[in-house]
């Protein structure tokens, strides 16, 4: 059973799990939710509450497995959510890490290994851009046209690799950081990285548990 249901106040869910803020934003809900239940908010916003709850519960609960009852997870809604998520990473979270990283380098001098860590971060951004381009230029258009591309596994592999690289970068900071550096700006970088790392891992659950079954169903139907 998921963490939340239609009767749950959305404000309660967000206050308990602030990492839900970008998730509900991607689903079409902004802050200022008042005291209303998830069911009422979804009804007012013309959002399928089952889809909303499945996305939220899959994101939060590693043991939650959504069931596609009566077509709750349409390909169109799922792809739209994943596109919004990728845009958030590209336009907001990755640039936020980069800004903090640049400030850290500028305020820390050269007696450290931060330049090496930044080089690794740049490789992470490059890999993300490759995943982003494949999804938006190949995978999503093919799926929406009713066809599963033969190399569709490249998407899952790329995003899993991104997940590993983000975790590696966090470990490098915690275990291998050397020399003198601005501690406050270092905390800002690690906090931004940690937020992205957690969001990415949790969002990959949505890909694996919702998008992958939809693609498998298409493949089994000869698409």
């Amino acid at each position: 059973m998921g963490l939340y249901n239609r009767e749950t106040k959305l404000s309660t869910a967000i206050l308990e799990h602030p990492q839900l803020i970008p998730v509900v934003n991607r689903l079409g809900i902004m802050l200022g939710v008042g005291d209303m239940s998830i069911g009422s908010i979804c009804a007012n916003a013309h959002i399928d509450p089952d889809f909303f709850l499945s996305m939220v519960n899959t994101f939060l609960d590693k043991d939650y497995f959504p069931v596609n009852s009566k077509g709750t997870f349409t390909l169109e809604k799922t792809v739209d959510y994943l596109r919004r998520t990728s845009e958030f990473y590209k336009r907001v979270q990755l640039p936020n890490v980069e800004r903090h990283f640049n400030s850290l380098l500028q305020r820390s001098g050269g007696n450290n290994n931060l330049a090496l860590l930044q080089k690794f971060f740049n490789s992470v951004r490059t890999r993300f851009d490759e995943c982003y381009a494949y999804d938006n230029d190949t995978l999503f258009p093919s799926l929406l046209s009713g066809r599963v591309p033969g190399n569709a596994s490249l998407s899952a592999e790329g995003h899993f690799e991104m997940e590993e690289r983000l975790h590696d970068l966090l470990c490098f900071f915690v275990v291998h950081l050397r020399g003198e550096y601005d501690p406050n700006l270092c905390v800002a970088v690690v906090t931004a990285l940690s937020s992205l790392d957690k969001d990415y891992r949790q969002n990959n659950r949505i890909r694996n548990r919702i998008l992958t079954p939809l693609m498998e169903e298409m493949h089994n139907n000869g698409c």
Side-chain angles (χ1 to χ4, degrees), residues 127-171:
R127 187 67 181 107
F128 172 80
D129 288 339
E130 293 169 353
C131 295
Y132 176 90
Y134 175 78
D135 282 352
N136 286 278
D137 298 341
T138 301
L139 180 64
F140 293 157
S142 295
L143 293 176
L144 292 176
S145 69
R147 181 179 63 86
V148 180
N151 57 355
S153 61
L154 291 176
S155 178
E157 292 169 2
H159 288 289
F160 179 71
E161 182 183 342
M162 270 292 300
E163 186 179 319
E164 289 188 319
R165 289 192 183 194
L166 284 169
H167 182 70
D168 286 345
L169 184 54
L170 273 173
C171 289

Side-chain angles (χ1 to χ4, degrees), residues 56-159:
V56 166
N57 286 325
T58 301
F59 185 86
L60 290 176
D61 187 352
K62 64 182 178 62
D63 296 320
Y64 177 79
F65 285 87
V67 177
N68 191 9
S69 175
K70 298 181 180 179
T72 296
F73 310 118
T74 67
L75 191 63
E76 291 77 12
K77 286 188 291 187
T78 304
V79 165
D80 179 66
Y81 173 83
L82 292 174
R83 275 180 168 160
R84 290 172 184 263
T85 300
S86 292
E87 285 294 325
F88 182 71
Y89 295 153
K90 186 176 182 66
R91 311 296 180 193
V92 179
Q93 284 191 294
L94 283 164
N96 184 46
V97 174
E98 184 175 41
R99 282 193 298 271
H100 288 310
F101 224 136
N102 288 338
S103 296
L104 176 61
L105 280 167
Q106 293 167 6
R107 300 280 289 274
S108 297
N111 184 28
N112 52 57
N113 59 349
L114 286 172
L116 182 62
L117 298 183
Q118 188 184 47
K119 183 177 180 180
F120 186 83
F121 169 70
N122 290 337
S123 75
V124 172
R125 287 206 66 171
T126 298
R127 187 67 181 107
F128 172 80
D129 288 339
E130 293 169 353
C131 295
Y132 176 90
Y134 175 78
D135 282 352
N136 286 278
D137 298 341
T138 301
L139 180 64
F140 293 157
S142 295
L143 293 176
L144 292 176
S145 69
R147 181 179 63 86
V148 180
N151 57 355
S153 61
L154 291 176
S155 178
E157 292 169 2
H159 288 289

